[in-house]
Amino acid sequence: MTAEETGCEAVVERLLGVDSRVIPSAERHRPGLPDHHSVGIFYQVRITGGRLRPEPNGTVVESAWTPLSGVAGLHRSSLVDVGLALARTRPATGHIAPSRSVG
């Protein structure tokens, strides 16, 4: 799936963790939507080949590598922060403290 979405070949090095949360209807971006249950599975991967590019006919229109030091300044989904926290802390349980929303 990595190659399909990014153009890069990758191998999984380890499971970082699993994030499961419910976003209440009142916190959703569009009013009136039902509660949303999100489950994210996060892996550490190593890029082995290919070339970064947007997903053909997908929702991504631009792809770029961003140094970790630059991620904090990006407009991003809170799922990025979940993945970074899992990579940084590598909790034995595979879980971090919940965040407010998936954004």
Side-chain angles (χ1 to χ4, degrees):
M1 181 178 283
T2 304
E4 175 187 331
E5 294 183 356
T6 69
C8 294
E9 300 287 335
V11 295
V12 173
E13 293 188 328
R14 76 184 299 264
L15 174 67
L16 291 173
V18 177
D19 179 66
S20 175
R21 65 190 67 218
V22 174
I23 304 163
S25 178
E27 294 179 18
R28 300 280 310 265
H29 293 288
R30 290 192 329 210
L33 292 175
D35 291 354
H36 176 78
H37 186 191
S38 172
V39 177
I41 303 171
F42 295 81
Y43 297 94
Q44 176 181 313
V45 301
R46 180 173 36 87
I47 302 298
T48 58
R51 195 170 128 212
L52 185 63
R53 53 120 178 98
E55 180 181 11
N57 302 312
T59 57
V60 176
V61 295
E62 182 180 355
S63 298
W65 292 112
T66 302
L68 283 176
S69 61
V71 173
L74 297 175
H75 177 73
R76 65 195 181 281
S77 165
S78 63
L79 287 176
V80 172
D81 297 319
V82 170
L84 290 172
L86 286 166
R88 184 179 62 254
T89 62
R90 298 180 187 241
T93 62
H95 297 278
I96 60 167
S99 67
R100 296 252 329 129
S101 68
V102 175

Coordinates of all heavy atoms in Angstrom, one line a residue:
M1 N 0.8 -1.2 0.0 CA 0.0 0.0 0.0 C 0.9 1.3 0.0 O 0.5 2.3 -0.5 CB -0.9 0.0 1.2 CG -1.8 1.2 1.2 SD -3.0 1.3 2.5 CE -4.2 0.2 1.9
T2 N 2.0 1.2 0.6 CA 2.9 2.4 0.6 C 3.2 2.8 -0.8 O 3.2 4.0 -1.1 CB 4.2 2.1 1.4 OG1 3.8 1.6 2.7 CG2 5.1 3.3 1.5
A3 N 3.6 1.9 -1.7 CA 4.0 2.2 -3.0 C 2.8 2.8 -3.8 O 2.9 3.8 -4.5 CB 4.5 1.0 -3.8
E4 N 1.6 2.3 -3.6 CA 0.4 2.8 -4.3 C 0.1 4.2 -3.9 O -0.2 5.1 -4.7 CB -0.8 1.9 -3.9 CG -2.1 2.4 -4.4 CD -3.3 1.6 -3.9 OE1 -3.1 0.4 -3.6 OE2 -4.4 2.2 -3.8
E5 N 0.2 4.6 -2.6 CA -0.1 5.9 -2.1 C 1.0 6.9 -2.2 O 0.7 8.1 -2.3 CB -0.7 5.8 -0.7 CG -2.0 5.1 -0.6 CD -2.5 5.0 0.8 OE1 -1.9 5.5 1.7 OE2 -3.7 4.5 0.9
T6 N 2.3 6.5 -2.2 CA 3.4 7.4 -2.1 C 4.4 7.3 -3.2 O 5.2 8.2 -3.4 CB 4.1 7.3 -0.8 OG1 4.8 6.0 -0.8 CG2 3.2 7.4 0.4
G7 N 4.4 6.1 -3.9 CA 5.4 5.9 -4.9 C 6.7 5.2 -4.2 O 7.6 4.8 -5.0
C8 N 6.7 5.1 -2.9 CA 7.9 4.6 -2.2 C 7.7 3.1 -1.8 O 6.6 2.8 -1.3 CB 8.2 5.4 -1.0 SG 8.8 7.1 -1.4
E9 N 8.7 2.3 -2.0 CA 8.6 0.9 -1.5 C 9.1 1.0 -0.1 O 10.0 1.8 0.3 CB 9.6 0.0 -2.3 CG 9.2 -0.1 -3.8 CD 8.0 -0.9 -4.0 OE1 7.6 -1.8 -3.2 OE2 7.3 -0.6 -5.1
A10 N 8.5 0.2 0.8 CA 8.9 0.2 2.2 C 8.8 -1.2 2.8 O 8.0 -2.0 2.3 CB 8.1 1.2 3.0
V11 N 9.5 -1.5 3.9 CA 9.4 -2.7 4.6 C 9.0 -2.3 6.1 O 9.5 -1.3 6.6 CB 10.6 -3.6 4.6 CG1 10.9 -4.1 3.2 CG2 11.8 -2.9 5.2
V12 N 8.1 -3.0 6.7 CA 7.8 -2.8 8.1 C 8.9 -3.3 9.0 O 9.3 -4.4 8.9 CB 6.4 -3.5 8.4 CG1 6.1 -3.4 9.9 CG2 5.3 -2.9 7.6
E13 N 9.3 -2.4 9.9 CA 10.3 -2.8 10.8 C 9.8 -3.2 12.2 O 10.3 -4.0 12.8 CB 11.4 -1.6 11.0 CG 12.2 -1.4 9.7 CD 13.3 -0.4 9.9 OE1 13.2 0.5 10.8 OE2 14.3 -0.6 9.3
R14 N 8.6 -2.5 12.5 CA 8.0 -2.9 13.8 C 6.6 -2.2 13.9 O 6.4 -1.2 13.3 CB 8.9 -2.5 15.0 CG 8.9 -1.1 15.4 CD 9.8 -0.8 16.5 NE 9.5 -1.4 17.8 CZ 8.8 -0.9 18.8 NH1 8.4 0.4 18.6 NH2 8.6 -1.5 19.9
L15 N 5.8 -2.8 14.7 CA 4.5 -2.3 15.0 C 4.8 -1.3 16.1 O 5.4 -1.6 17.1 CB 3.5 -3.3 15.5 CG 2.2 -2.9 16.1 CD1 1.3 -2.2 15.0 CD2 1.5 -4.0 16.7
L16 N 4.3 0.0 16.0 CA 4.5 1.0 17.0 C 3.4 1.0 18.0 O 3.6 1.1 19.2 CB 4.6 2.4 16.4 CG 5.9 2.7 15.6 CD1 5.8 4.0 14.9 CD2 7.1 2.6 16.5
G17 N 2.1 0.8 17.5 CA 1.0 0.8 18.4 C -0.3 0.9 17.7 O -0.4 1.0 16.5
V18 N -1.4 0.9 18.5 CA -2.8 1.0 18.0 C -3.5 2.1 18.7 O -3.3 2.2 19.9 CB -3.5 -0.3 18.2 CG1 -5.0 -0.2 17.7 CG2 -2.8 -1.5 17.4
D19 N -4.2 2.9 18.0 CA -4.9 4.0 18.6 C -6.4 3.8 18.2 O -6.7 3.6 17.1 CB -4.4 5.4 18.0 CG -5.2 6.6 18.6 OD1 -5.0 6.8 19.8 OD2 -5.9 7.2 17.8
S20 N -7.2 3.9 19.3 CA -8.7 3.7 19.1 C -9.3 4.8 19.8 O -9.1 5.1 21.0 CB -9.1 2.4 19.6 OG -10.5 2.2 19.6
R21 N -10.2 5.6 19.2 CA -10.9 6.7 19.8 C -12.3 6.9 19.2 O -12.5 6.5 18.0 CB -10.1 7.9 19.7 CG -9.9 8.5 18.3 CD -9.0 9.6 18.2 NE -7.6 9.1 18.5 CZ -6.7 9.8 19.2 NH1 -7.0 11.0 19.6 NH2 -5.6 9.3 19.5
V22 N -13.2 7.4 19.9 CA -14.5 7.8 19.4 C -14.6 9.3 19.4 O -14.2 10.0 20.4 CB -15.6 7.3 20.3 CG1 -17.0 7.8 19.9 CG2 -15.6 5.7 20.3
I23 N -15.0 9.9 18.3 CA -15.1 11.3 18.1 C -16.6 11.6 18.2 O -17.4 11.2 17.4 CB -14.6 11.8 16.8 CG1 -13.1 11.4 16.6 CG2 -14.7 13.3 16.7 CD1 -12.6 11.5 15.2
P24 N -17.1 12.2 19.3 CA -18.5 12.5 19.5 C -19.0 13.4 18.4 O -18.3 14.2 17.8 CB -18.6 13.2 20.8 CG -17.3 12.9 21.5 CD -16.3 12.7 20.4
S25 N -20.3 13.2 18.1 CA -20.9 14.0 17.0 C -20.7 15.5 17.2 O -20.4 16.2 16.2 CB -22.4 13.7 17.1 OG -23.1 14.5 16.1
A26 N -20.7 16.0 18.4 CA -20.6 17.4 18.7 C -19.2 17.9 18.3 O -19.0 19.1 18.1 CB -20.9 17.7 20.1
E27 N -18.2 17.0 18.2 CA -16.8 17.5 17.9 C -16.5 17.2 16.5 O -15.3 17.5 16.1 CB -15.9 16.7 18.8 CG -16.0 17.1 20.3 CD -15.0 16.4 21.2 OE1 -14.0 15.8 20.7 OE2 -15.3 16.3 22.4
R28 N -17.4 16.7 15.7 CA -17.1 16.4 14.3 C -17.1 17.7 13.5 O -17.6 18.7 13.9 CB -18.2 15.5 13.6 CG -18.4 14.1 14.3 CD -17.3 13.1 13.8 NE -17.2 12.9 12.4 CZ -17.8 12.0 11.7 NH1 -18.7 11.2 12.2 NH2 -17.5 12.0 10.4
H29 N -16.4 17.7 12.4 CA -16.2 18.9 11.6 C -17.5 19.4 10.9 O -17.7 20.6 10.7 CB -15.2 18.7 10.5 CG -13.8 18.5 11.0 ND1 -13.1 19.6 11.6 CD2 -13.0 17.4 11.1 CE1 -11.9 19.1 12.0 NE2 -11.8 17.8 11.7
R30 N -18.4 18.5 10.6 CA -19.7 18.9 10.0 C -20.8 18.5 11.0 O -20.9 17.4 11.5 CB -19.9 18.2 8.7 CG -19.0 18.6 7.6 CD -19.5 18.1 6.3 NE -20.1 16.8 6.3 CZ -20.0 15.9 5.3 NH1 -19.4 16.2 4.3 NH2 -20.6 14.8 5.5
P31 N -21.7 19.5 11.4 CA -22.7 19.2 12.3 C -23.7 18.1 11.8 O -23.9 18.0 10.6 CB -23.5 20.6 12.4 CG -22.6 21.6 11.7 CD -21.6 20.8 10.8
G32 N -24.2 17.4 12.7 CA -25.2 16.4 12.4 C -24.7 15.0 12.1 O -25.4 14.1 11.9
L33 N -23.4 14.9 11.9 CA -22.8 13.6 11.6 C -22.8 12.7 12.9 O -22.7 13.3 14.0 CB -21.3 13.7 11.1 CG -21.2 14.4 9.8 CD1 -19.7 14.5 9.5 CD2 -21.8 13.5 8.7
P34 N -22.9 11.4 12.8 CA -22.9 10.6 14.0 C -21.6 10.5 14.6 O -20.6 10.9 14.0 CB -23.4 9.2 13.4 CG -22.9 9.2 12.0 CD -23.1 10.7 11.5
D35 N -21.5 9.9 15.8 CA -20.2 9.7 16.5 C -19.4 8.8 15.5 O -19.9 8.1 14.7 CB -20.4 8.9 17.7 CG -21.0 9.7 18.9 OD1 -21.3 10.9 18.7 OD2 -21.3 9.0 19.9
H36 N -18.1 9.0 15.5 CA -17.2 8.3 14.6 C -16.1 7.6 15.4 O -15.4 8.1 16.3 CB -16.5 9.3 13.7 CG -15.5 8.7 12.8 ND1 -15.8 8.0 11.6 CD2 -14.1 8.7 12.8 CE1 -14.7 7.6 11.0 NE2 -13.7 8.0 11.8
H37 N -16.0 6.2 15.2 CA -15.0 5.4 15.9 C -13.8 5.3 14.9 O -14.0 4.8 13.8 CB -15.5 4.1 16.3 CG -14.6 3.3 17.1 ND1 -14.8 2.0 17.4 CD2 -13.4 3.6 17.7 CE1 -13.7 1.5 18.1 NE2 -12.9 2.5 18.3
S38 N -12.7 5.7 15.3 CA -11.5 5.6 14.5 C -10.5 4.7 15.1 O -10.2 4.7 16.3 CB -10.8 7.0 14.4 OG -9.6 7.0 13.7
V39 N -9.9 3.8 14.3 CA -8.9 2.9 14.8 C -7.7 3.1 13.8 O -7.8 2.9 12.6 CB -9.3 1.4 14.8 CG1 -8.2 0.5 15.2 CG2 -10.5 1.2 15.7
G40 N -6.5 3.4 14.4 CA -5.3 3.6 13.6 C -4.2 2.6 14.1 O -4.0 2.4 15.3
I41 N -3.6 2.0 13.1 CA -2.5 1.1 13.4 C -1.2 1.7 12.8 O -1.2 2.0 11.7 CB -2.8 -0.3 12.7 CG1 -4.1 -0.9 13.3 CG2 -1.6 -1.3 13.1 CD1 -4.6 -2.1 12.5
F42 N -0.2 1.9 13.7 CA 1.0 2.7 13.3 C 2.2 1.7 13.3 O 2.4 1.0 14.2 CB 1.2 3.8 14.4 CG 0.1 4.8 14.4 CD1 -1.1 4.6 15.0 CD2 0.3 6.0 13.7 CE1 -2.1 5.5 15.0 CE2 -0.7 6.9 13.7 CZ -1.9 6.7 14.4
Y43 N 2.9 1.8 12.2 CA 4.1 1.0 12.0 C 5.3 1.9 11.8 O 5.2 3.0 11.2 CB 4.0 0.2 10.7 CG 2.8 -0.8 10.8 CD1 1.6 -0.5 10.3 CD2 3.0 -2.1 11.3 CE1 0.6 -1.5 10.3 CE2 2.0 -3.0 11.4 CZ 0.8 -2.7 10.9 OH -0.2 -3.6 10.9
Q44 N 6.5 1.4 12.2 CA 7.7 2.0 11.8 C 8.1 1.3 10.5 O 8.2 0.1 10.5 CB 8.8 1.8 12.8 CG 10.1 2.4 12.5 CD 11.1 2.1 13.6 OE1 10.9 2.4 14.7 NE2 12.3 1.6 13.2
V45 N 8.4 2.1 9.4 CA 8.8 1.5 8.2 C 10.2 2.0 7.7 O 10.6 3.1 8.2 CB 7.8 1.6 7.1 CG1 6.4 1.0 7.5 CG2 7.6 3.1 6.7
R46 N 10.8 1.3 6.9 CA 12.1 1.8 6.3 C 11.8 1.8 4.8 O 11.4 0.9 4.1 CB 13.2 0.8 6.6 CG 14.5 1.3 6.0 CD 15.7 0.4 6.5 NE 15.4 -1.0 6.7 CZ 15.5 -2.0 5.7 NH1 15.8 -1.7 4.5 NH2 15.2 -3.2 6.0
I47 N 12.1 3.0 4.1 CA 12.0 3.2 2.7 C 13.1 2.4 2.0 O 14.2 2.5 2.4 CB 12.0 4.7 2.3 CG1 10.9 5.5 3.0 CG2 11.9 4.8 0.8 CD1 9.5 5.0 2.7
T48 N 12.7 1.5 1.1 CA 13.7 0.7 0.4 C 13.9 1.1 -1.1 O 14.7 0.5 -1.8 CB 13.3 -0.8 0.5 OG1 12.0 -1.0 -0.1 CG2 13.3 -1.2 2.0
G49 N 13.0 1.9 -1.6 CA 13.1 2.3 -3.0 C 11.9 3.1 -3.5 O 11.1 3.5 -2.7
G50 N 11.9 3.4 -4.7 CA 10.8 4.2 -5.3 C 11.2 5.7 -5.2 O 12.2 6.1 -4.8
R51 N 10.2 6.5 -5.6 CA 10.3 8.0 -5.5 C 9.0 8.6 -5.0 O 7.9 8.2 -5.5 CB 10.6 8.4 -7.0 CG 11.2 9.8 -7.0 CD 11.7 10.2 -8.4 NE 11.0 11.4 -8.8 CZ 10.7 11.7 -10.0 NH1 11.0 10.9 -11.0 NH2 10.1 12.9 -10.2
L52 N 9.1 9.5 -4.1 CA 8.0 10.1 -3.5 C 7.2 10.9 -4.5 O 7.7 11.7 -5.3 CB 8.4 11.1 -2.4 CG 7.3 11.8 -1.6 CD1 6.4 10.7 -0.8 CD2 7.8 12.8 -0.6
R53 N 5.9 10.7 -4.6 CA 5.0 11.4 -5.5 C 3.6 11.3 -4.9 O 3.3 10.5 -4.0 CB 5.0 10.7 -6.9 CG 4.8 9.2 -6.8 CD 3.5 8.8 -7.6 NE 3.4 7.4 -7.6 CZ 2.5 6.8 -6.8 NH1 1.8 7.4 -5.9 NH2 2.4 5.4 -6.8
P54 N 2.7 12.2 -5.4 CA 1.3 12.1 -4.9 C 0.6 10.8 -5.4 O 1.0 10.2 -6.4 CB 0.6 13.3 -5.6 CG 1.7 14.2 -6.0 CD 2.9 13.3 -6.3
E55 N -0.5 10.5 -4.7 CA -1.2 9.3 -5.1 C -1.9 9.5 -6.4 O -2.7 10.5 -6.5 CB -2.2 8.9 -4.0 CG -3.1 7.7 -4.3 CD -4.1 7.4 -3.2 OE1 -4.3 8.3 -2.3 OE2 -4.7 6.4 -3.3
P56 N -1.7 8.7 -7.4 CA -2.4 8.9 -8.7 C -3.9 8.8 -8.5 O -4.4 7.8 -7.9 CB -1.9 7.8 -9.6 CG -0.6 7.3 -9.0 CD -0.8 7.6 -7.5
N57 N -4.7 9.8 -9.0 CA -6.2 9.8 -8.9 C -6.6 9.7 -7.5 O -7.7 9.1 -7.2 CB -6.8 8.6 -9.8 CG -6.4 8.7 -11.2 OD1 -6.5 9.8 -11.8 ND2 -5.9 7.7 -11.8
G58 N -5.8 10.1 -6.5 CA -6.2 10.1 -5.1 C -6.5 11.4 -4.6 O -6.6 12.4 -5.3
T59 N -6.5 11.5 -3.2 CA -6.9 12.7 -2.6 C -5.6 13.6 -2.2 O -5.8 14.7 -1.9 CB -7.6 12.5 -1.3 OG1 -6.8 11.6 -0.4 CG2 -9.0 11.8 -1.6
V60 N -4.4 13.0 -2.4 CA -3.2 13.8 -2.1 C -2.7 14.4 -3.4 O -2.5 13.8 -4.4 CB -2.1 12.8 -1.6 CG1 -0.8 13.6 -1.4 CG2 -2.5 12.2 -0.3
V61 N -2.6 15.8 -3.4 CA -2.2 16.5 -4.6 C -0.7 16.9 -4.5 O -0.1 17.2 -5.6 CB -3.0 17.8 -4.8 CG1 -4.5 17.4 -5.1 CG2 -3.0 18.7 -3.6
E62 N -0.1 16.8 -3.4 CA 1.3 17.1 -3.3 C 2.0 16.3 -2.1 O 1.4 16.1 -1.1 CB 1.5 18.6 -2.9 CG 3.0 19.0 -2.9 CD 3.1 20.5 -2.6 OE1 2.1 21.2 -2.5 OE2 4.3 20.9 -2.4
S63 N 3.1 15.8 -2.4 CA 3.9 15.0 -1.4 C 5.2 15.7 -1.1 O 5.8 16.1 -2.1 CB 4.1 13.6 -1.9 OG 2.9 12.9 -2.0
A64 N 5.7 15.6 0.1 CA 7.0 16.2 0.4 C 7.5 15.6 1.7 O 6.8 15.2 2.6 CB 6.9 17.7 0.6
W65 N 8.8 15.4 1.7 CA 9.5 15.0 3.0 C 9.7 16.2 3.9 O 10.1 17.2 3.4 CB 10.9 14.4 2.7 CG 10.8 13.1 1.9 CD1 11.2 12.9 0.6 CD2 10.3 11.8 2.4 NE1 11.0 11.6 0.3 CE2 10.4 10.9 1.3 CE3 9.7 11.4 3.6 CZ2 10.0 9.6 1.4 CZ3 9.3 10.1 3.7 CH2 9.5 9.2 2.6
T66 N 9.3 16.1 5.1 CA 9.5 17.1 6.1 C 10.3 16.7 7.2 O 10.0 15.6 7.8 CB 8.1 17.6 6.6 OG1 7.3 18.0 5.5 CG2 8.2 18.7 7.6
P67 N 11.4 17.4 7.5 CA 12.2 17.0 8.7 C 11.4 17.0 10.0 O 10.4 17.8 10.1 CB 13.3 18.1 8.8 CG 13.3 18.8 7.5 CD 11.9 18.6 6.9
L68 N 11.6 16.1 10.9 CA 10.9 16.1 12.1 C 10.8 17.4 12.8 O 9.7 17.8 13.4 CB 11.5 15.0 13.1 CG 11.1 13.6 12.8 CD1 11.9 12.7 13.8 CD2 9.7 13.3 12.8
S69 N 11.9 18.2 12.8 CA 11.9 19.5 13.4 C 10.8 20.5 12.8 O 10.4 21.4 13.4 CB 13.3 20.1 13.3 OG 13.6 20.3 12.0
G70 N 10.4 20.2 11.5 CA 9.4 21.0 10.8 C 8.0 20.6 11.0 O 7.1 21.4 10.6
V71 N 7.7 19.4 11.5 CA 6.4 18.9 11.6 C 5.5 19.7 12.5 O 4.3 20.0 12.2 CB 6.4 17.4 12.0 CG1 5.0 16.9 12.3 CG2 7.1 16.6 11.0
A72 N 6.0 20.2 13.6 CA 5.2 21.0 14.5 C 4.6 22.3 13.9 O 3.5 22.7 14.3 CB 6.0 21.5 15.7
G73 N 5.2 22.8 12.8 CA 4.7 24.0 12.2 C 3.7 23.7 11.1 O 3.2 24.6 10.5
L74 N 3.4 22.4 10.8 CA 2.5 22.1 9.7 C 1.1 22.0 10.2 O 0.8 21.7 11.3 CB 2.9 20.7 9.2 CG 4.2 20.5 8.5 CD1 4.4 19.0 8.1 CD2 4.4 21.4 7.3
H75 N 0.1 22.3 9.3 CA -1.3 22.1 9.5 C -1.4 20.6 9.3 O -1.1 20.1 8.2 CB -2.2 22.9 8.6 CG -3.6 22.6 8.7 ND1 -4.3 23.0 9.8 CD2 -4.5 21.9 8.0 CE1 -5.6 22.6 9.7 NE2 -5.7 21.9 8.6
R76 N -1.9 19.8 10.3 CA -1.8 18.3 10.2 C -3.0 17.7 11.1 O -3.5 18.3 12.0 CB -0.5 17.8 10.7 CG -0.2 18.1 12.1 CD 1.2 17.9 12.6 NE 1.4 18.1 14.0 CZ 1.5 19.3 14.5 NH1 1.4 20.4 13.8 NH2 1.7 19.4 15.8
S77 N -3.3 16.5 10.8 CA -4.2 15.7 11.5 C -3.6 15.4 12.9 O -2.3 15.2 12.9 CB -4.6 14.4 10.8 OG -5.2 13.5 11.6
S78 N -4.3 15.3 13.9 CA -3.8 14.8 15.2 C -3.3 13.4 15.1 O -2.5 13.0 16.0 CB -4.9 15.0 16.3 OG -6.0 14.1 16.1
L79 N -3.6 12.7 14.1 CA -3.1 11.3 14.0 C -1.6 11.3 13.7 O -0.9 10.4 14.1 CB -3.8 10.6 12.8 CG -5.2 10.1 13.1 CD1 -5.8 9.5 11.8 CD2 -5.3 9.2 14.2
V80 N -1.1 12.4 13.1 CA 0.4 12.6 12.9 C 1.0 12.6 14.3 O 2.0 12.0 14.5 CB 0.7 13.8 12.1 CG1 2.2 14.1 12.1 CG2 0.1 13.7 10.7
D81 N 0.4 13.4 15.2 CA 1.0 13.5 16.6 C 0.9 12.2 17.3 O 1.8 11.9 18.1 CB 0.3 14.6 17.3 CG 0.5 16.0 16.7 OD1 1.6 16.3 16.2 OD2 -0.5 16.8 16.6
V82 N -0.1 11.4 17.1 CA -0.2 10.1 17.7 C 1.0 9.2 17.2 O 1.7 8.6 18.0 CB -1.6 9.4 17.4 CG1 -1.6 7.9 17.8 CG2 -2.7 10.2 18.1
G83 N 1.2 9.2 15.9 CA 2.3 8.4 15.4 C 3.6 8.8 15.9 O 4.5 8.0 16.2
L84 N 3.8 10.2 15.9 CA 5.1 10.7 16.4 C 5.3 10.3 17.9 O 6.4 9.9 18.3 CB 5.2 12.2 16.3 CG 5.3 12.7 14.8 CD1 5.2 14.2 14.7 CD2 6.6 12.2 14.2
A85 N 4.2 10.4 18.7 CA 4.4 10.0 20.1 C 4.7 8.6 20.3 O 5.5 8.2 21.1 CB 3.1 10.4 20.9
L86 N 4.0 7.7 19.5 CA 4.3 6.3 19.5 C 5.8 6.0 19.1 O 6.5 5.2 19.8 CB 3.4 5.5 18.6 CG 2.0 5.3 19.2 CD1 1.0 4.9 18.1 CD2 1.9 4.4 20.4
A87 N 6.3 6.7 18.1 CA 7.6 6.5 17.6 C 8.6 7.0 18.7 O 9.7 6.4 18.9 CB 7.9 7.2 16.3
R88 N 8.3 8.1 19.3 CA 9.2 8.7 20.3 C 9.3 7.9 21.6 O 10.3 7.6 22.2 CB 8.8 10.1 20.6 CG 9.7 10.9 21.5 CD 9.3 12.3 21.8 NE 8.0 12.4 22.4 CZ 6.8 12.7 21.8 NH1 6.8 13.1 20.5 NH2 5.7 12.8 22.4
T89 N 8.1 7.4 22.1 CA 8.1 6.8 23.4 C 8.1 5.3 23.4 O 8.5 4.7 24.4 CB 6.8 7.3 24.2 OG1 5.7 6.8 23.5 CG2 6.8 8.8 24.4
R90 N 7.7 4.7 22.3 CA 7.6 3.3 22.1 C 7.0 2.6 23.4 O 7.7 1.8 24.0 CB 9.0 2.7 21.8 CG 9.5 3.2 20.5 CD 10.8 2.6 20.1 NE 11.3 3.3 18.9 CZ 11.6 2.6 17.8 NH1 11.5 1.4 17.8 NH2 12.1 3.3 16.8
P91 N 5.8 3.0 23.8 CA 5.2 2.4 25.0 C 5.1 0.9 24.9 O 4.7 0.4 23.9 CB 3.9 3.1 25.1 CG 3.5 3.5 23.7 CD 4.9 3.8 23.0
A92 N 5.3 0.2 26.0 CA 5.3 -1.2 26.1 C 3.9 -1.7 25.7 O 3.7 -2.8 25.2 CB 5.7 -1.7 27.4
T93 N 2.8 -0.9 26.1 CA 1.4 -1.3 25.8 C 1.0 -1.0 24.4 O 0.0 -1.5 24.0 CB 0.5 -0.6 26.8 OG1 0.6 0.9 26.5 CG2 0.8 -0.8 28.2
G94 N 1.8 -0.2 23.7 CA 1.4 0.2 22.3 C 0.4 1.3 22.3 O -0.3 1.5 21.3
H95 N 0.1 1.9 23.4 CA -0.9 3.0 23.5 C -0.3 4.2 24.2 O 0.5 4.1 25.0 CB -2.1 2.5 24.4 CG -2.8 1.3 23.8 ND1 -3.8 1.4 22.8 CD2 -2.7 0.0 24.1 CE1 -4.2 0.2 22.5 NE2 -3.6 -0.7 23.3
I96 N -0.8 5.4 23.7 CA -0.5 6.6 24.4 C -1.7 7.2 24.9 O -2.8 6.8 24.7 CB 0.2 7.6 23.4 CG1 -0.7 7.9 22.2 CG2 1.5 7.1 22.9 CD1 -0.3 9.1 21.4
A97 N -1.6 8.3 25.7 CA -2.8 9.0 26.3 C -3.6 9.5 25.1 O -3.1 10.0 24.1 CB -2.4 10.1 27.2
P98 N -5.0 9.4 25.2 CA -5.8 9.8 24.1 C -5.7 11.3 23.9 O -5.5 12.1 24.8 CB -7.2 9.4 24.6 CG -7.1 9.0 26.0 CD -5.7 8.8 26.4
S99 N -5.9 11.7 22.7 CA -6.0 13.1 22.3 C -7.5 13.5 22.1 O -8.3 12.6 22.1 CB -5.2 13.4 21.1 OG -5.8 12.8 20.0
R100 N -7.8 14.7 22.0 CA -9.2 15.2 21.9 C -9.9 14.7 20.6 O -11.1 14.4 20.7 CB -9.3 16.7 22.1 CG -8.8 17.2 23.4 CD -9.8 17.7 24.4 NE -10.9 18.3 23.8 CZ -12.2 18.0 24.1 NH1 -12.4 17.0 25.0 NH2 -13.2 18.6 23.6
S101 N -9.3 14.8 19.5 CA -10.0 14.5 18.2 C -9.0 14.1 17.2 O -7.8 14.2 17.3 CB -10.8 15.7 17.7 OG -9.9 16.7 17.3
V102 N -9.5 13.5 16.1 CA -8.7 13.0 15.0 C -8.4 14.1 14.0 O -7.5 14.1 13.3 CB -9.3 11.8 14.3 CG1 -8.5 11.4 13.1 CG2 -9.4 10.7 15.3
G103 N -9.2 15.2 13.9 CA -9.0 16.4 13.1 C -8.9 16.2 11.7 O -8.7 15.3 11.0

